[in-house]
Amino acid sequence: MAFAIPKIDYTGKIKPITLGKGPKAVNLGQEDTYPFHLFEGTMPNLPKIAIEVYDIAPDEWAEAALEPYKDVVNDPVAWAKKAINEYGADMICLQLASTDPNSQDASPAQAAETTKKVASAIDVPVIVYGSANQEKDAEVLRKVAEECEGLNLILGPVQDLNYKQIGAGAIAYQHTASANTPIDINLAKQLNILLGNLGVQDDKLIIDPTTGGLGYGIEYSYSVVERIRIAALSQGDDRLQFPMICNLAKEVWKTKEAKTGDTDLMGKSSKRGIIMEAITAMLLLLAGADVLIMRHPDAIKVVREMISDLTA
Amino acid sequence: MALTGIQIFKLLPKTNCKECGVPTCLAFAMNLAAGKAELSACPYISDEARAQLAEASAPPIRPITMGEGENKLTVGGETVLFRHEKTFVNKTGIGVLITDAMAEADVASRIKQFTSLKYEWIGLILRAEMIAIKNVSGDAGKFEALARRVMAETDAIPVLMSDNVDAMKAALAVCASRLPLIYAATAQNFEAMAALAKEFKCPLVAKADDLNSLSELTDKIVAADVKDIVVDGGARTVKRVFEDMVFLRRAALTQKNRSLGFSPIVFTGEITSDPLKETIVAAMLIAKYAGIVILSDFQGESLFPLLVERLNIYTDPQRPMMMKEGIYPIGNPTEDSPVTITTNFALTYFIVSGEIEASRVPTWLLVMETEGLSVLTAWAAGKFVGDAMGIFIKKCGILDKIKHRKIIIPGYVASVSGDLEEELGPDWEVKIGPREAAHLSAFLKLEIAG
C-alpha cells in the first residue's frame, strides 16, 4: 500500500495570550495542531523558556545547578539579569521561596518589594510563584499583585482554595493567573471555569497542570498535558484551550539522582542533572507545554535547539 | 486491515452449533471483531477462512522478538497513538554502535559500558539491550571477528550492519542464536538480504530514502516471504525523523497501512554529533514512537535518565508503579533508629525515601502493600487503616531490628492512630508525622534530637 501523509483534522485552536509588555512581551498560543505537527497545522508562537530566579540563596542545590549562578545567588536582580543577558531567558520565573511558612516565612510586603525590584529592573515578562502554601500564597500574591500594578506579571500557583483572592488581585491590577491543579484534566478545566466566572479574561489565563520530574511522575504530567492539548484541539473544549506552563526545574533538581555525585553507574554528576532536566523538558514539549520553567543553561540550550530543529 | 463482525461472519460456518460457547455464529463473529474471542474456539472453521482471518486480525504494527536467554526484546505491537488511550506495550530497544574500524579503546569502552550499566529501580533491572555492529572496514573477516567478540563478551542482541552479503552471512552464522537484526535490505539488495533472513530466521531492516519507497520495499520483502521486518525511512534530521515516526505510527493505526505496519529503528548518531543533543533526540524518540534507538555512545549519566524515561513512558497508565512490601533501611539504621510507614505507590515511596535520605537521619521505612495507592487514597479505600497497619508492623520483621516501640505515621492518616495503638498494644507509641513528605526531614531531625 502506497504512503499518503496521515493527517488529522482539528476542531479547536489555543487562545492567544500576551505576557509582559513592551518589545520583550511574549506571545503564546494560537497553535492549531499537536506540538511540532507542522505538516498539518501551524504553531505561530513557539514554546518559550523562563529561567528560575530565587528570592533567597538556595541551599542544598546540586553543584552543577549552582555553578552557573554562584556569583548572583544572593541578588535576585543580578540573577535575573544574568539569566537574560547570558543565558537568553525569554522570561524570568521568580520563585518566592522565602515566603514558605516552613522556611523563612517572609512577609507579603517583603515578597512584593523583591518582586517589584526584579520586575522593574528587567524588560522580559516575570512569572511570580509562591511557595504553594495556599493560605500564604493568597496573602503574598495578593500583595504582589497590588504593589506591582502595571508590571503585567504572571501570578501562580493559583489553586482551588486561593483562586478568589489571587484571581481578584490579578483582575484588579492587570496580571495573568497561572491556574494550577494536581495533574488532573477535569480539575484543570474546573479551575479555569471558576477563574472565568470570577472575571479573569481568557487572555489572562495560563494552565499549570503540575509537573513531575523524570522518574518522579513525569509520566503523569506527560499524559495530562497531552490530554489537555487533545481536548483543546480535537475535542474543541473551549475551557482547556489555553497555553500551558510547566514548572519543571525544581522537580528535576531536587531528586536524589540529580544530586548524587560521580559514580561508575550513574556517570558524571556535572552532566546527569542537565540531561534529566532536558529530557523532562523535551517530554513536556512533545506533550504540549508552551512555557518551560528551567534552570541549567546547557539544558536550556539543547532544548532550544530541539525546538528550532523541530520547527525548521 | 481489521475486519468488521459482519465480514468475519461471512467466513464462519454459519451453523450456530454453539460449541464455541455463544448461541450464534454472528455473536461469535462480533466477539472476534471486538477481540473478546479466539478463533480457535470454533471447531469447524475452514483452513482457508482461518488463514484469511489470521491475516486480517494480525496486529497493525508487527511485533518482532529478538534475543535469547534473559536478554529478550520485543518491539512493535503498539495499538495506540497516545499512552493514556491504553498503554505503550513494547518498550523502545536501546543500543550502542560499534564499528570494525573503530579504535580498540572505543570498542572496549562501549562494550564495558554496555555490560556494566544496569540499574535496579523499583525492583526492575533497567539496561540497554542491543549492540549495533557496523562493517565500516569493508573486510568481512574483521566484521565477523567483532560479531564473535560481542557474542563472547556480552549478552547483547546484535544489529548486524553491512552492505556486503558475504560479510553478513558470516556474521549471521556467528550470531543467529540471538535472532540478530539484519541491517539492511535496500531496493538494490533486498533479494539477497531477504534470502539470508529466511535462511537464518532473523528479522530484517528495510531501508529506503522516504516512506513511499519504503512501503514499496516492504511489499517486496513480504512477497519474498520475510515478514519480520523493522524499518528505516531514511530521515536523518530531527524534524524529518520526528515526522516519520508520527507518519509510521498513524499509517499503521489509522490508515491500516500494512506496508508500513512495522517498528522503526533510528541511529541518533547520524542525526547529530553532539552527545548531549543525541541523548535528547533519543529521549524524543522513546516518547514518539521509535521501536529501536541506537546511540553512537552512552555513559551512566545519559543512559540512566533514558532508561528511566523509557520506563515512565511505557508504564501502564491504568496500573500504578508499585514497590514490594517490606522494610527499607535508609542510611544504615540501628536498633534505636526511628521507624516510619508509608504505602507502596512507587512515587510515594520515592518522595518519602528521598526526604529521609536528605535528612541524613538513619531510618527504617516500612512500605505496606496498598495496591499502589497513595497514602490518602489508600486510607480512603480502607487499605491503610489502623488494624491493617498494626498487623503489617507486627509481622513484617521490624520487631527483630529495633529496641524501641515507636512508629511514625503520615500526618494525613492521623485519625487511624487510635485503632493502630489498639492493634499494636500498650507497649507501642504511635507518633503523628507531618502531612507533607517535604517536612519529614525537619521532623526526623527533631525526633532524634530528643
Side-chain angles (χ1 to χ4, degrees), chain B residues 65-363:
Chain B
T65 300
M66 294 160 284
E68 67 177 342
E70 283 184 10
N71 186 25
K72 279 207 175 98
L73 175 72
T74 299
V75 298
E78 301 298 338
T79 56
V80 292
L81 287 165
F82 302 103
R83 62 184 290 281
H84 65 261
E85 294 174 315
K86 193 162 179 206
T87 181
F88 290 174
V89 286
N90 291 315
K91 60 182 197 250
T92 311
I94 294 180
V96 67
L97 179 80
I98 57 177
T99 83
D100 59 6
M102 227 175 213
E104 163 58 25
D106 292 336
V107 173
S109 88
R110 281 166 178 77
I111 287 179
K112 179 171 178 286
Q113 296 290 51
F114 177 88
T115 49
S116 62
L117 296 180
K118 291 179 183 147
Y119 305 90
E120 199 182 333
W121 185 265
I122 55 163
L124 300 167
I125 300 294
L126 310 185
R127 55 164 295 179
E129 293 85 14
M130 311 187 85
I131 295 183
I133 307 162
K134 191 171 184 178
N135 181 10
V136 172
S137 67
D139 180 331
K142 282 190 180 163
F143 185 54
E144 187 195 336
L146 193 55
R148 214 174 272 286
R149 176 166 176 192
V150 167
M151 291 298 286
E153 294 178 23
T154 78
D155 66 352
I157 301 163
V159 180
L160 300 173
M161 306 174 70
S162 180
D163 301 332
N164 179 332
V165 176
D166 294 332
M168 185 63 80
K169 185 164 182 167
L172 274 169
V174 171
C175 309
S177 66
R178 288 192 194 162
L179 302 176
L181 188 54
I182 304 173
Y183 187 95
T186 61
Q188 288 74 42
N189 71 3
F190 77 89
E191 279 161 332
M193 288 294 183
L196 286 180
K198 264 178 92 167
E199 182 183 343
F200 289 95
K201 298 188 175 60
C202 292
L204 177 63
V205 178
K207 184 191 176 193
D209 292 333
D210 57 63
L211 298 188
N212 217 6
S213 31
L214 183 66
S215 69
E216 286 169 19
L217 180 59
T218 59
D219 285 350
K220 288 179 192 159
I221 293 172
V222 169
D225 206 21
V226 172
K227 298 209 169 77
D228 284 344
I229 299 172
V230 167
V231 293
D232 177 350
R236 294 296 185 268
T237 65
V238 172
K239 182 188 167 88
R240 273 206 56 210
V241 166
F242 172 76
E243 289 186 349
D244 276 6
M245 292 300 122
V246 175
F247 292 163
L248 284 167
R249 179 65 64 94
R250 281 196 193 167
L253 298 186
T254 63
Q255 297 176 326
K256 316 281 184 200
N257 187 336
R258 286 276 180 215
S259 311
L260 293 173
F262 302 104
S263 193
I265 183 169
V266 182
F267 297 87
T268 47
E270 295 183 22
I271 298 171
T272 174
S273 56
D274 169 4
L276 172 59
K277 188 166 170 186
E278 192 183 338
T279 305
I280 307 309
V281 171
M284 172 185 89
L285 291 166
I286 286 168
K288 289 292 172 190
Y289 311 147
I292 298 169
V293 171
I294 303 293
L295 292 129
S296 62
D297 197 5
F298 51 59
Q299 310 296 337
E301 68 262 17
S302 58
L303 183 62
F304 171 74
L306 287 175
L307 292 172
V308 170
E309 181 211 353
R310 178 175 74 171
L311 179 74
N312 288 166
I313 292 296
Y314 280 80
T315 297
D316 184 348
Q318 316 295 330
R319 220 179 132 264
M321 291 195 294
M322 286 183 259
M323 300 301 295
K324 233 177 99 186
E325 180 171 275
I327 305 170
Y328 291 78
I330 300 176
N332 297 320
T334 66
E335 54 186 17
D336 297 316
S337 299
V339 180
T340 185
I341 183 167
T342 193
T343 71
N344 78 329
F345 179 35
L347 279 187
T348 303
Y349 165 80
F350 281 147
I351 292 164
V352 171
S353 62
E355 295 295 339
I356 293 174
E357 230 163 85
S359 75
R360 298 200 182 88
V361 177
T363 299

Side-chain angles (χ1 to χ4, degrees), chain A residues 1-8 10 34-40 60 100 102 213-220 222-223 226-227 230 254 256-257 259 264-269 271-272 274-276 278-279 282-283 286-287 298-299 301-303 305-306 309-312, chain B residues 1 81-84 113 116-119 121 211-212 215 219 238-239 242-243 246-247 250-251 254-260 274 276-277 279-281 283-284 287-288 300-302 304-306 308-309 312-313 315 320-321 345 347 350-351 353-354 357-358 360 439 445:
Chain A
M1 188 168 158
F3 170 68
I5 293 183
K7 291 187 190 176
I8 60 171
Y10 297 94
Y34 295 152
F36 311 111
H37 287 46
L38 297 175
F39 51 90
E40 60 188 7
E60 299 194 346
D100 187 340
N102 292 299
L214 181 66
Y216 291 80
I218 185 63
E219 69 273 36
Y220 297 91
Y222 179 78
S223 283
E226 209 162 44
R227 286 182 66 195
I230 290 169
K254 77 177 183 195
K256 177 173 73 187
E257 290 73 22
K259 287 182 177 177
D264 287 345
L265 263 185
M266 302 282 282
K268 291 197 182 70
S269 168
K271 296 184 179 168
R272 191 188 318 117
I274 293 167
I275 291 172
M276 292 175 67
I279 291 179
M282 186 72 237
L283 286 174
L286 291 171
D298 293 351
K301 183 164 167 278
V302 71
V303 167
E305 264 182 61
M306 291 300 290
D309 284 6
L310 282 165
T311 55
Chain B
M1 194 170 298
L81 287 165
F82 302 103
R83 62 184 290 281
H84 65 261
Q113 296 290 51
S116 62
L117 296 180
K118 291 179 183 147
Y119 305 90
W121 185 265
L211 298 188
N212 217 6
S215 69
D219 285 350
V238 172
K239 182 188 167 88
F242 172 76
E243 289 186 349
V246 175
F247 292 163
R250 281 196 193 167
T254 63
Q255 297 176 326
K256 316 281 184 200
N257 187 336
R258 286 276 180 215
S259 311
L260 293 173
D274 169 4
L276 172 59
K277 188 166 170 186
T279 305
I280 307 309
V281 171
M284 172 185 89
K288 289 292 172 190
E301 68 262 17
S302 58
F304 171 74
L306 287 175
V308 170
E309 181 211 353
N312 288 166
I313 292 296
T315 297
M321 291 195 294
F345 179 35
L347 279 187
F350 281 147
I351 292 164
S353 62
E357 230 163 85
R360 298 200 182 88
H439 308 144
K445 283 178 193 161

Side-chain angles (χ1 to χ4, degrees), chain A:
Chain A
M1 188 168 158
F3 170 68
I5 293 183
K7 291 187 190 176
I8 60 171
D9 291 326
Y10 297 94
T11 53
K13 189 172 174 172
I14 305 305
K15 297 176 197 298
I17 65 173
T18 299
L19 304 178
K21 56 175 186 172
K24 295 284 180 65
V26 162
N27 293 314
L28 296 175
Q30 290 191 295
E31 50 273 59
D32 56 12
T33 184
Y34 295 152
F36 311 111
H37 287 46
L38 297 175
F39 51 90
E40 60 188 7
T42 58
M43 293 174 80
N45 298 304
L46 296 184
K48 296 291 187 295
I49 293 170
I51 296 184
E52 286 183 312
V53 168
Y54 283 77
D55 67 339
I56 39 169
D59 57 348
E60 299 194 346
W61 269 25
E63 179 55 35
L66 195 58
E67 224 294 315
Y69 302 108
K70 62 181 179 208
D71 53 333
V72 290
V73 286
N74 289 306
D75 180 351
V77 172
W79 189 339
K81 286 187 169 168
K82 184 170 190 183
I84 297 165
N85 298 332
E86 293 187 29
Y87 307 135
D90 300 313
M91 291 186 252
I92 290 299
C93 176
L94 181 62
Q95 308 262 23
L96 296 173
S98 71
T99 64
D100 187 340
N102 292 299
S103 167
Q104 294 183 3
D105 203 12
S107 70
Q110 238 176 312
E113 196 191 317
T114 310
T115 307
K116 198 169 178 180
K117 236 195 268 174
V118 172
S120 312
I122 59 179
D123 51 3
V124 302
V126 180
I127 303 159
V128 184
Y129 260 49
S131 60
N133 177 303
Q134 294 218 40
E135 272 173 56
K136 185 69 187 288
D137 281 355
E139 294 170 41
V140 168
L141 295 177
R142 187 65 202 257
K143 184 75 175 169
V144 167
E146 187 182 330
E147 296 293 322
C148 297
E149 180 171 18
L151 289 171
N152 297 18
L153 306 173
I154 300 92
L155 304 174
V158 178
Q159 296 172 315
D160 59 345
L161 299 180
N162 62 20
Y163 80 92
K164 283 185 183 158
Q165 294 96 315
I166 305 175
I171 296 167
Y173 304 103
Q174 298 92 45
H175 303 295
T176 297
S178 178
N180 172 237
T181 42
I183 319 196
D184 184 305
I185 185 170
N186 296 313
L187 294 178
K189 180 170 174 173
Q190 189 187 346
L191 185 56
N192 292 348
I193 292 171
L194 291 171
L195 283 165
N197 292 346
L198 189 70
V200 173
Q201 297 300 305
D202 282 357
D203 62 355
K204 292 285 185 189
L205 181 61
I206 187 164
I207 301 174
D208 173 351
T210 301
T211 304
L214 181 66
Y216 291 80
I218 185 63
E219 69 273 36
Y220 297 91
S221 296
Y222 179 78
S223 283
V224 87
V225 171
E226 209 162 44
R227 286 182 66 195
I228 289 174
R229 195 40 57 96
I230 290 169
L233 296 178
S234 292
Q235 291 146 23
D237 193 329
D238 173 69
R239 286 301 93 194
L240 289 171
Q241 290 167 341
F242 298 94
M244 280 181 275
I245 182 167
C246 291
N247 191 5
L248 66 102
K250 55 192 280 216
E251 301 302 324
V252 171
W253 286 98
K254 77 177 183 195
T255 65
K256 177 173 73 187
E257 290 73 22
K259 287 182 177 177
T260 302
D262 293 2
T263 73
D264 287 345
L265 263 185
M266 302 282 282
K268 291 197 182 70
S269 168
S270 60
K271 296 184 179 168
R272 191 188 318 117
I274 293 167
I275 291 172
M276 292 175 67
E277 183 179 4
I279 291 179
T280 305
M282 186 72 237
L283 286 174
L284 294 164
L285 282 175
L286 291 171
D290 296 273
V291 178
L292 302 169
I293 299 176
M294 296 187 63
R295 184 173 296 176
H296 199 285
D298 293 351
I300 292 167
K301 183 164 167 278
V302 71
V303 167
R304 271 188 205 291
E305 264 182 61
M306 291 300 290
I307 295 172
S308 140
D309 284 6
L310 282 165
T311 55

Side-chain angles (χ1 to χ4, degrees), chain B residues 344-420:
Chain B
N344 78 329
F345 179 35
L347 279 187
T348 303
Y349 165 80
F350 281 147
I351 292 164
V352 171
S353 62
E355 295 295 339
I356 293 174
E357 230 163 85
S359 75
R360 298 200 182 88
V361 177
T363 299
W364 300 100
L365 175 59
L366 307 183
V367 170
M368 183 172 149
E369 157 72 42
T370 56
E371 294 174 18
L373 298 176
S374 63
V375 168
L376 262 186
T377 329
W379 169 75
K383 295 180 194 309
F384 198 56
V385 291
D387 41 357
M389 277 159 89
I391 292 166
F392 167 64
I393 292 166
K394 284 188 286 189
K395 70 156 205 225
C396 71
I398 189 68
L399 300 185
D400 305 332
K401 299 184 186 296
I402 52 169
K403 262 191 339 204
H404 65 83
R405 291 290 179 264
K406 272 185 262 176
I407 176 89
I408 301 162
I409 64 171
Y412 273 117
V413 292
S415 64
V416 310
S417 61
D419 286 348
L420 179 58

